[in-house]
Amino acid sequence: MANTKRSASRIRLAALSALALALALTACGKSNAAQTSAQGGAGAPPAANEPVLIGVTGPLTGDNAEYGKQWRKGFDLALEEINGDGGIDGRPLEYVFEDTQSDPKQTPAVAQKFVANPKIVAVIGDFSSPASMAASPIYQRSGLVQLGITNSHPEFTNTGDYIWSNSSNQKDDAPYLAKLAVSELGRKRLAVLHLNTDWGKTSADLFIGKARELGAEIVAQEAYLSNEKDFRPILTKALDADPDALILISYYNDGALIAQQRLSVGFGEAVAVVGIGSIYSPQFIRLGGEAAEGVYTSTRFYPGDPRPEVQRFVEKYREKYNEDPDTFSAVAYDGIKILAQVMREYGTERKAIRDGLEAIRDLDTVLYGKASFGPDRRLENPHFVNLIVQNGKFELWQP
């Protein structure tokens, strides 16, 4: 009888031990599953209605704030259309915008924040090439796509295969501007003023190389800092060189100030002002006022372009905002649309997006029409138009 009791006791103990072990394993499994879910791992597929998140890094305050505001208008219109059409496999597409003032000192910290967030599947930005390129190595190392929608520096995509751009290259933009100034406007004595940044110097060098090839003489070249407000000293030097055209490698705010201050040092209407496409912003005219009249530029987008893809976009934009879009709202719209097309076809995993950008063909875009990425991870065959400021607005100009 004693042996029978001891046997029963041992059986109960073994059963209790097995139950305790099972409970412990279940708890451990739940803990690991929760941790995997928190880290965005494969064991935690996203909920059907969980947003697909794009990180955006760019200027919402500071001297370049207008560019960020125009971006948002393009983004929001694109998201309205994408989500109205079912989103990404039924999930809404959204973005998180971090304000960097387009400052290269701020963008690496934002990049670290984005790569650490597993819900961010791709990144757009920053606005300026120097600000973007300061963060590119972080995105490359972490395997997170950085799509530069306004990054025209020739070396922007050189960091690696996670760095892409739907912006044209300054190797295209700056020589085209030289053709406008020299071949189409007939100017031969050029004074070049440019931002003293890597983008500004590279753009100026590319412009000057093509202008000289076309037979022009560079009679003055002056660099200036991005925070300068008084341009009269360098304008005076340029005026003393007797140019027939003043070339601005500028953004809208500094370009508008230069346009104004040139009049105070004695530049007359006989000296043409030709600005690179970055001045194509409503703010250039608002800040420059009457001094903006007659300024020429070349750009990749104009709302009067008769191409069907442009007119469809312009109509929707006017309906939503009661104003015309500019290049920066158009390229932002294209950027979101490109990522959405890739994610719908190839998935929302970070590497799948990179692979999709490489594989996809005939993307639908406003600026390029049907377009594909080339070996340099930029869209191929940019389209340019020439503009002039007349009667307080940018208008198409043809020789």
Side-chain angles (χ1 to χ4, degrees), residues 159-399:
T159 299
D161 60 349
Y162 277 83
I163 314 302
W164 298 73
S165 180
N166 62 317
S167 173
S168 58
N169 192 324
Q170 276 304 321
K171 288 182 178 178
D172 297 316
D173 291 7
Y176 186 89
L177 191 73
K179 291 177 184 177
L180 169 61
V182 181
S183 301
E184 299 184 29
L185 292 172
R187 306 299 166 135
K188 299 295 185 181
R189 295 177 56 80
L190 311 180
V192 179
L193 274 56
H194 64 87
L195 275 162
N196 193 18
T197 64
D198 192 21
W199 170 82
K201 289 182 283 188
T202 300
S203 300
D205 289 345
L206 290 166
F207 173 89
I208 288 168
K210 186 63 178 181
R212 285 175 171 157
E213 180 186 314
L214 294 171
E217 180 184 0
I218 309 302
V219 297
Q221 180 180 354
E222 297 290 338
Y224 61 87
L225 299 175
S226 58
N227 60 356
E228 283 190 40
K229 303 299 180 186
D230 184 2
F231 297 96
R232 287 169 294 186
I234 61 173
L235 281 165
T236 299
K237 289 182 183 179
L239 181 64
D240 289 343
D242 191 28
D244 58 11
L246 188 61
I247 310 300
L248 308 184
I249 310 296
S250 310
Y251 294 151
Y252 69 78
N253 49 350
D254 42 302
L257 284 175
I258 292 170
Q260 283 183 330
Q261 293 174 20
R262 83 186 196 281
L263 302 176
S264 66
V265 302
F267 275 97
E269 293 182 1
V271 180
V273 181
V274 184
I276 203 154
S278 301
I279 70 166
Y280 177 41
S281 165
Q283 283 294 91
F284 176 78
I285 296 175
R286 293 189 194 114
L287 294 173
E290 291 185 5
E293 287 288 307
V295 173
Y296 298 89
T297 188
S298 63
T299 180
R300 292 167 293 127
F301 172 82
Y302 178 62
D305 189 328
R307 289 182 296 142
E309 58 269 26
V310 173
Q311 289 309 304
R312 282 193 296 270
F313 167 65
V314 170
E315 183 180 351
K316 292 174 183 176
Y317 192 94
R318 285 173 177 164
E319 184 179 340
K320 184 173 178 63
Y321 299 113
N322 196 32
E323 65 183 29
D324 281 343
D326 64 8
T327 300
F328 302 98
S329 49
V331 77
Y333 175 91
D334 270 356
I336 291 281
K337 285 278 198 169
I338 287 167
L339 289 176
Q341 289 173 73
V342 169
M343 287 188 279
R344 281 173 169 172
E345 189 165 342
Y346 295 93
T348 58
E349 296 296 321
R350 290 179 174 183
K351 187 175 186 303
I353 294 171
R354 192 225 73 84
D355 293 346
L357 286 166
E358 185 173 63
I360 200 164
R361 295 291 179 268
D362 295 329
L363 288 156
D364 291 314
T365 74
V366 172
L367 272 70
Y368 293 75
K370 289 286 186 182
S372 304
F373 286 98
D376 61 352
R377 293 182 295 282
R378 289 185 183 274
L379 289 183
E380 298 176 305
N381 303 318
H383 173 82
F384 292 99
V385 293
N386 297 327
L387 303 179
I388 184 172
V389 180
Q390 286 185 330
N391 303 314
K393 61 183 180 179
F394 288 99
E395 295 185 351
L396 196 64
W397 180 85
Q398 292 178 324

Side-chain angles (χ1 to χ4, degrees), residues 7 46 48-49 62 67 92 113 119 251:
S7 296
N49 61 349
Y67 295 118
K113 182 177 180 179
K119 294 183 179 180
Y251 294 151

Side-chain angles (χ1 to χ4, degrees), residues 136-137 139-141 144-146 155-165 354 375-377:
S136 293
Y139 295 121
Q140 179 64 31
R141 285 195 302 269
L144 180 61
V145 162
Q146 179 190 25
E155 296 181 9
F156 169 68
T157 60
N158 289 357
T159 299
D161 60 349
Y162 277 83
I163 314 302
W164 298 73
S165 180
R354 192 225 73 84
D376 61 352
R377 293 182 295 282

